[in-house]
Amino acid sequence: MGDSTATATATDLDVKLEQHRVELTGYCYRMLGSSFEAEDAVQDTMVRAWRSYEKFEGRSSLRSWLYRIATNVCLDMLTAGNKRARPMDLTDSTPLARAALSPRPDNTWLEPMPDARVLPTVEDPAEAAVAKESVRLAFMAALQQLPAKQRAVLILREVLAWKASEVAELLETSVASVNSALQRARATLAERDRDGKGAIAGAVSDPLSEEQQKLLERYVAAFEGYDMTALTALLHEDAVMTMPPFDLWLTGPQDITGFMTTLGAACAGSHLVPVAVNGLPGFAQYKPDEETGGFSPWAVQVLEISEGRITGFHCFLDTKRWFPLFGLPLSLPLDVEGETDQVEKGE
């Protein structure tokens, strides 16, 4: 009898903890800027919560207790001081004539993340919109510039709408200290906006407007047809293209399409599968594979859109890591129509 009760209790606790996994992953992802480190941090949080649950006296909600553990896990991981970045945070834009593909280590880069792993389902459309905006690449890159505790305060107060008193309790500090940290964090982000760091962040509506849907359809047709004239018409004059793990980034339609027809020419004939990534429209890009006669993974593309144009075109190339994370197959047959339908439905 005792054993079955213990098992039932353990199962109940598992269920209670799992209910918070997606939102905790979103929090840790915003803190760390890494998909895989975020998932590791949440797993560590769950293990710590499981081990110390008997000491949890219910003085706070289970949710806030888990956030306290997750915050401590993230702060421990951030003591190494590594700040995840986008190529435009590290180097100047390269003219096409000097383009060279120089990789940097994985832990340099801000990493992409499937929406489903970090955005819990919420009823309130305004809350859902804030959550999406807070995982977009431009905002994530800005968060990385903040000291770790300011980052936690900003996320908890501005994204998750915690009260200053709740954040003070979580961080074991005073309300005045929380308010001061929030003020400094806001000032840093405002300064970054004034400096015009990086690409135009864009304004993607949720759900996508009819105009944005049509823009994406035209983009798919232009990219799959490798029609540079059509693609040029879709790109903003200050559009930016990045390709982590390479630190190269290009500005403007001429250099972007020039790259695609020279160093990137092997992408002609690619096939695109829609993915929801970082609160933005994206695509899994499969390029022709001469050996198999089908298609092999090449990149997860994340698109930023503003005023009817594509402003950011970000290609994450480490497909052995990204495609499994997004639940994407590592090959497509030559006849991809049926396969694509299955992938889009998540089958």
Side-chain angles (χ1 to χ4, degrees), residues 96 101 241 243 248 250 255-265:
L96 179 59
L101 298 177
M241 179 182 184
M243 291 161 284
L248 167 77
L250 301 161
D255 276 5
I256 291 172
T257 56
F259 178 88
M260 289 173 66
T261 52
T262 53
L263 290 173

Side-chain angles (χ1 to χ4, degrees), residues 101-160:
L101 298 177
S102 309
R104 295 202 189 192
D106 288 342
N107 65 2
T108 308
W109 303 116
L110 185 62
E111 296 179 346
M113 184 63 123
D115 285 359
R117 287 181 182 251
V118 289
L119 298 176
T121 305
V122 292
E123 298 294 323
D124 181 359
E127 193 182 330
V130 168
K132 275 196 168 184
E133 285 168 17
S134 71
V135 292
R136 288 183 182 155
L137 296 174
F139 184 74
M140 289 287 298
L143 282 177
Q144 297 295 301
Q145 303 307 309
L146 300 175
K149 284 207 171 169
Q150 284 185 31
R151 207 180 299 180
V153 168
L154 185 89
I155 296 165
L156 291 165
R157 292 281 285 117
E158 305 262 289
V159 177
L160 301 174

Side-chain angles (χ1 to χ4, degrees), residues 71-87:
T71 301
N72 288 331
V73 169
C74 289
L75 293 176
D76 287 347
M77 291 172 78
L78 288 166
T79 51
N82 180 47
K83 291 180 180 177
R84 300 268 174 171
R86 302 171 301 168

Side-chain angles (χ1 to χ4, degrees), residues 303-320:
L303 301 187
E304 292 168 322
I305 297 171
S306 182
E307 298 172 358
R309 292 282 183 274
I310 294 166
T311 57
F313 172 49
H314 307 290
C315 303
F316 294 89
L317 303 182
D318 192 352
T319 52
K320 285 182 180 170

Side-chain angles (χ1 to χ4, degrees), residues 7 9-11 19 33 38 104 132 165 200 209 216 233 245 271 291 309 320:
T7 304
T9 306
T11 304
Q19 285 172 346
R104 295 202 189 192
K132 275 196 168 184
S165 56
I200 304 163
S209 68
L216 292 179
H271 183 72
E291 286 184 23
R309 292 282 183 274
K320 285 182 180 170

Side-chain angles (χ1 to χ4, degrees), residues 7-119:
T7 304
T9 306
T11 304
D12 289 346
L13 180 55
D14 276 340
V15 170
K16 282 181 185 173
L17 295 178
E18 281 302 317
Q19 285 172 346
H20 298 281
R21 182 176 290 276
V22 173
E23 66 169 310
L24 285 172
T25 305
Y27 176 61
C28 293
Y29 175 59
R30 294 178 187 102
M31 284 291 289
L32 301 169
S34 162
S35 326
F36 297 104
E37 285 183 6
E39 299 208 325
D40 287 347
V42 172
Q43 200 52 41
D44 193 359
T45 298
M46 297 298 192
V47 169
R48 292 190 195 190
W50 179 267
R51 285 180 181 158
S52 56
Y53 188 69
E54 287 180 4
K55 297 176 193 167
F56 171 57
E57 295 167 356
R59 284 179 296 192
S60 61
S61 69
L62 177 64
R63 179 175 182 251
S64 59
W65 183 60
L66 287 171
Y67 269 93
R68 177 181 294 209
I69 298 170
T71 301
N72 288 331
V73 169
C74 289
L75 293 176
D76 287 347
M77 291 172 78
L78 288 166
T79 51
N82 180 47
K83 291 180 180 177
R84 300 268 174 171
R86 302 171 301 168
M88 63 277 272
D89 301 319
L90 302 177
T91 64
D92 291 330
S93 179
T94 310
L96 179 59
R98 296 209 311 271
L101 298 177
S102 309
R104 295 202 189 192
D106 288 342
N107 65 2
T108 308
W109 303 116
L110 185 62
E111 296 179 346
M113 184 63 123
D115 285 359
R117 287 181 182 251
V118 289
L119 298 176

